Amino acid sequence: MIASRDQRPETARPMIECNEIQKYYGDYHALRGIDLVIREGEFFSLLGPSGCGKTTLLRTIAGFEGISSGAVLIDGKHMENVPANSRPTNMVFQSYAIFPHLTVAQNVAFGLRRDPRGKSEKAALVEEALAMVGLRGYGGRAAHALSGGQRQRVALARALILKPKVLLLDEPLSALDRKMREQMQVELIKLQRQVGITFVLVTHDQEEALVMSDRIAVMFDGEIAQLDEPETLYARPKDRRVADFIGVMNFLPAQITREADGIVSVDVPGLGPVELPESQVSRANPDDSGPVLGFRPETMTLLTPGQSSQHARETDVVIDEVVYYGDMTYYDLRLEGTQHTVRISMRNVFGRDVQSVGTKARVAWSPGSLVLFR
Amino acid sequence: MAKPGMDREARQGLTLIAPPFLYALAILAVPVLTILSYSFLTDGYLEVIGEFTFGNYIQVWSDPIVRAVLLRSLSVSAAVTVVTVLLAFPVAYYLSFVVRPERKSMWLFLITIPFWTSYLIRVFLWKVILGYNGVINSSLTGLGIIDQPLTFILYNVNSMVLTLAHAYAPFAILPIFVALEKIDRSLLEAGRDLGENRLMTFWRVTLPLAMPGVVAAVLIVFIPTIGDYVTPELIGGGKIPMIANLIQVQMLALDNRPLGSALAVTAMLVVAVVSLIFLWLNRRFLRVKQ
């Protein structure tokens, strides 16, 4: 799973450093001590619900917002007195901010005004940048005649033509329809590999962050709740907020029976006794009444009648609801002997029938995919 | 249209637009057409003779006085327009970019306060302010800054420009304000992000996008000031007539309505041509869809 992604060496040079950033808007505490290092060439995402401070953080890096205390360094240089127009960053705005009074080519060439190169050289650069984003030959078009996806490409070309050290992307895909969004996700990844510069993406879409990023910082209430690679973030969320925000997770009440030698033993109604190492133990929400056990829908397998599994554990269930999605089927299962319902997902493969509501069945699971929140 | 239903619909539509149409006809078309037809008729003493002639136009277009007055009207209007728009732009900019959103309507309200008094009274007040023993002169002499009252501030073109610019300021502020309000603020951030400082961003982004408002302001100020009649009379002291004063003299004092009409039509044509040229020069800004 991990092998599919480019691995950036831990030793890559830091490109953006945020040290203890505090930001107040009047009484409102927007950023609460952000400490962050984004490495050179990394595709980094700031993920969180709206109002969590992710856009504010991006705008402090770009220089559109000042900070109350702390420091931003880009490529080792202090940015305190560097205005937005002098920072080695460029931004793709959420609304794309394409200049409506200019043509596509004039938009892309906007930042080249003080470039000493000649007119024809600049025109060639513009054409090259447009080709890079798949808009070869669009230079003469009026900006207002473009579709949403084309505007986004112009915004990308306009930023990348300046060869910034960091490209900042503020929810760049949120205005596109689903098909277009998925296509642009892949294109953005390819583009980032091609140009090799650091990308910092702000998004509220966890799927988008998982698909595109080398590392993700999940933010809540002006703080970074967890900073990890997508796989770790998904499989080992550090607290229940992160688990809730990223993907779907089932939660069951648990009782801790024993703690010794870095192993926590819990008893879970329906699943029975489970032993978990410390690495599978995370923080619960402050308002949780007790320890909670969580697992992802795809980590449990519904067995066909008579099938037995290689997994360590099996549990009896009753099928409460079946939701058929074409490629996937979601089952809501009531754990035998309890009132707890969990949702699991099964990939539909040829030769395996979708099981029907009301039947008794067995699921197989492994303690290694569980997370305890306490 | 074979369908009877369409006919009924068309008739309904016509009934709907008929009152405003009649109104427009009575208020706009009839007076203009009257003036136009007068301008081709012959003047008899104290009456208009129904004989077709180009004589009025020949007289108007060959008269050096008319030409001089028309040129003065154009240059005074142009000066007023330039001053008004240059003064209005910063106000509109401040209103759009600096004033907090919840205070904007109060500011707009304050800007319209000058309209609460009649135009005539406002013009007359300027005379009081600028006059030989007016507010400015008496305070400056009182403070000992000058010995003799300043004479260059009344009864000349400068004072006319000042008075007209003040009178038309709100008309210029409002369209520019609307154009500035429409500008997506992220465009300005994009300008900065792409390496331009605030001044260059203003020059390359804000100003071109505000141009439709500036063009509207220019026309709104330029067109009526050319025909202004009160200010030259009161502030100009009647010694520097503009085209409207000439028309007034012909129409009322000399009772030569055909010649006055020819003057009016000529002035209208000149304004129309100048305005169209101005619009044409700014066509690339006016095409922009935001």
Side-chain angles (χ1 to χ4, degrees):
Chain A
M1 187 158 124
I2 288 172
S4 68
R5 195 181 299 278
D6 275 5
Q7 285 298 291
R8 306 272 167 206
E10 293 274 331
T11 53
R13 204 154 59 98
M15 179 51 74
I16 298 172
E17 290 161 79
C18 298
N19 299 331
E20 263 307 303
I21 294 181
Q22 304 280 351
K23 166 88 183 165
Y24 290 89
Y25 291 107
D27 288 339
Y28 180 62
H29 201 170
L31 297 177
R32 302 164 184 250
I34 301 288
D35 259 319
L36 182 64
V37 175
I38 299 173
R39 297 192 285 260
E40 187 179 19
E42 194 171 28
F43 200 132
F44 193 92
S45 290
L46 297 168
L47 173 66
S50 60
C52 73
K54 57 191 191 299
T55 298
T56 305
L57 181 57
L58 192 81
R59 291 170 58 82
T60 62
I61 295 171
F64 295 129
E65 304 272 357
I67 49 180
S68 306
S69 70
V72 177
L73 283 79
I74 300 178
D75 202 15
K77 289 192 194 71
H78 255 276
M79 287 292 131
E80 192 178 350
N81 294 314
V82 182
N85 47 314
S86 305
R87 295 197 179 188
T89 58
N90 280 116
M91 184 130 150
V92 174
F93 291 83
Q94 184 169 16
S95 61
Y96 311 140
I98 302 298
F99 301 118
H101 58 300
L102 303 177
T103 63
V104 169
Q106 286 169 332
N107 261 285
V108 176
F110 190 93
L112 293 178
R113 182 178 66 86
R114 279 172 307 176
D115 190 303
R117 278 172 284 197
K119 238 184 181 172
S120 58
E121 256 180 290
K122 285 185 189 177
L125 275 176
V126 168
E127 198 47 41
E128 189 187 313
L130 282 174
M132 186 168 65
V133 296
L135 287 180
R136 190 190 296 278
Y138 277 68
R141 298 236 186 150
H144 59 75
L146 299 177
S147 70
Q150 288 168 335
R151 279 161 183 267
Q152 158 142 71
R153 288 155 197 264
V154 174
L156 272 169
R158 184 175 73 178
L160 289 174
I161 197 172
L162 302 176
K163 308 244 181 314
K165 289 181 175 153
V166 180
L167 184 73
L168 306 170
L169 303 118
D170 184 10
E171 306 243 8
L173 306 177
S174 59
L176 303 179
D177 62 58
R178 192 188 166 87
K179 266 228 162 81
M180 195 69 201
R181 196 158 61 223
E182 284 169 1
Q183 186 190 336
M184 280 309 294
Q185 287 174 359
V186 177
E187 281 190 38
L188 272 176
I189 297 170
K190 283 187 182 157
L191 198 61
Q192 197 260 345
R193 288 209 191 116
Q194 187 189 335
V195 296
I197 62 179
T198 311
F199 277 35
V200 182
L201 173 84
V202 158
T203 181
H204 64 269
D205 183 340
Q206 42 98 12
E207 197 180 289
E208 189 172 298
L210 292 176
V211 168
M212 299 207 280
S213 325
D214 294 319
R215 286 191 308 155
I216 300 170
V218 183
M219 291 181 69
F220 291 106
D221 301 328
E223 285 175 313
I224 295 179
Q226 185 169 2
L227 198 171
D228 261 313
E229 283 158 13
E231 296 81 1
T232 318
L233 210 55
Y234 187 78
R236 297 271 182 272
K238 266 192 193 154
D239 64 33
R240 203 178 144 183
R241 283 182 308 177
V242 177
D244 260 335
F245 192 72
I246 304 215
V248 179
M249 196 171 238
N250 291 294
F251 295 105
L252 293 170
Q255 252 181 340
I256 296 175
T257 50
R258 209 171 87 90
E259 264 188 274
D261 309 325
I263 301 285
V264 183
S265 305
V266 290
D267 189 47
V268 187
L271 296 184
V274 186
E275 290 190 343
L276 298 170
E278 286 288 355
S279 65
Q280 281 171 252
V281 179
S282 299
R283 256 195 326 278
N285 279 350
D287 54 354
D288 283 338
S289 51
V292 179
L293 189 84
F295 62 92
R296 301 282 183 194
E298 68 280 4
T299 57
M300 277 197 179
T301 309
L302 189 65
L303 300 174
T304 47
Q307 183 190 5
S308 73
S309 74
Q310 322 302 320
H311 286 279
R313 304 282 290 265
E314 291 185 17
T315 300
D316 288 319
V317 294
V318 178
I319 300 178
D320 250 11
E321 195 64 72
V322 179
V323 186
Y324 179 72
Y325 268 88
D327 58 338
M328 306 278 285
T329 305
Y330 286 90
Y331 294 95
D332 287 344
L333 308 173
R334 193 159 45 76
L335 303 177
E336 194 89 327
T338 72
Q339 290 305 312
H340 298 302
T341 312
V342 296
R343 168 162 282 202
I344 71 158
S345 64
M346 294 289 291
R347 184 153 291 286
N348 291 329
V349 294
F350 180 74
R352 185 167 70 203
D353 293 335
V354 171
Q355 301 194 35
S356 45
V357 175
T359 49
K360 289 192 170 190
R362 283 176 83 73
V363 286
W365 52 278
S366 145
S369 59
L370 304 177
V371 183
L372 178 70
F373 300 94
R374 56 177 295 197
Chain B
M1 296 291 152
K3 286 189 202 163
M6 290 289 272
D7 270 354
R8 205 184 324 127
E9 237 172 67
R11 226 177 304 127
Q12 266 181 352
L14 282 177
T15 331
L16 265 178
I17 60 163
F21 179 72
L22 287 176
Y23 185 77
L25 204 68
I27 302 288
L28 287 170
V30 169
V32 170
L33 288 175
T34 310
I35 293 289
L36 195 66
S37 48
Y38 267 144
S39 71
F40 287 107
L41 298 180
T42 312
D43 177 52
Y45 185 62
L46 293 181
E47 60 175 337
V48 177
I49 301 167
E51 268 175 47
F52 182 86
T53 175
F54 284 115
N56 303 313
Y57 285 100
I58 294 168
Q59 199 183 334
V60 165
W61 291 348
S62 59
D63 188 343
I65 295 176
V66 171
R67 213 176 303 149
V69 170
L70 200 51
L71 273 178
R72 180 196 289 142
S73 297
L74 280 172
S75 58
V76 167
S77 284
V80 169
T81 308
V82 168
V83 169
T84 311
V85 172
L86 283 185
L87 291 178
F89 199 98
V91 177
Y93 188 90
Y94 182 84
L95 196 54
S96 179
F97 284 86
V98 183
V99 174
R100 293 217 307 269
E102 65 270 22
R103 296 247 171 107
K104 282 183 181 172
S105 48
M106 188 192 73
W107 272 76
L108 287 174
F109 173 72
L110 291 178
I111 281 171
T112 58
I113 280 187
F115 290 128
W116 294 9
T117 47
S118 110
Y119 177 54
L120 197 67
I121 292 172
R122 270 179 289 153
V123 172
F124 201 77
L125 281 173
W126 274 108
K127 199 170 163 167
V128 171
I129 293 169
L130 298 171
Y132 192 78
N133 291 314
V135 176
I136 291 184
N137 275 328
S138 46
S139 35
L140 285 180
T141 13
L143 289 169
I145 297 172
I146 51 170
D147 299 329
Q148 292 294 313
L150 303 171
T151 48
F152 67 86
I153 55 175
L154 191 61
Y155 301 131
N156 62 19
V157 171
N158 297 339
S159 49
M160 262 161 58
V161 170
L162 184 64
T163 308
L164 286 170
H166 170 253
Y168 283 94
F171 291 113
I173 292 171
L174 294 177
I176 298 173
F177 168 73
V178 169
L180 289 171
E181 281 288 284
K182 271 206 307 196
I183 298 175
D184 178 358
R185 299 307 193 248
S186 68
L187 293 175
L188 310 181
E189 289 189 341
R192 306 248 294 127
D193 186 64
L194 295 167
E196 297 292 18
N197 59 28
R198 284 177 199 281
L199 196 66
M200 279 310 291
T201 301
F202 173 81
W203 180 248
R204 295 185 70 192
V205 183
T206 314
L207 192 56
L209 291 174
M211 274 314 277
V214 173
V215 168
V218 164
L219 294 180
I220 286 175
V221 176
F222 179 77
I223 293 173
T225 47
I226 261 210
D228 194 88
Y229 155 77
V230 176
T231 304
E233 195 66 31
L234 288 177
I235 301 288
K239 286 178 293 185
I240 28 179
M242 304 238 292
I243 192 71
N245 306 91
L246 274 198
I247 296 171
Q248 184 259 340
V249 166
Q250 290 299 334
M251 286 283 204
L252 301 175
L254 301 179
D255 201 32
N256 188 345
R257 269 180 280 171
L259 195 67
S261 299
L263 271 172
V265 172
T266 305
M268 215 163 72
L269 283 177
V270 169
V271 171
V273 168
V274 172
S275 304
L276 287 176
I277 290 173
F278 181 73
L279 280 176
W280 183 77
L281 288 175
N282 285 291
R283 65 197 180 284
R284 77 184 179 92
F285 297 118
L286 302 177
R287 270 202 303 261
V288 172
K289 287 186 206 121
Q290 283 194 50

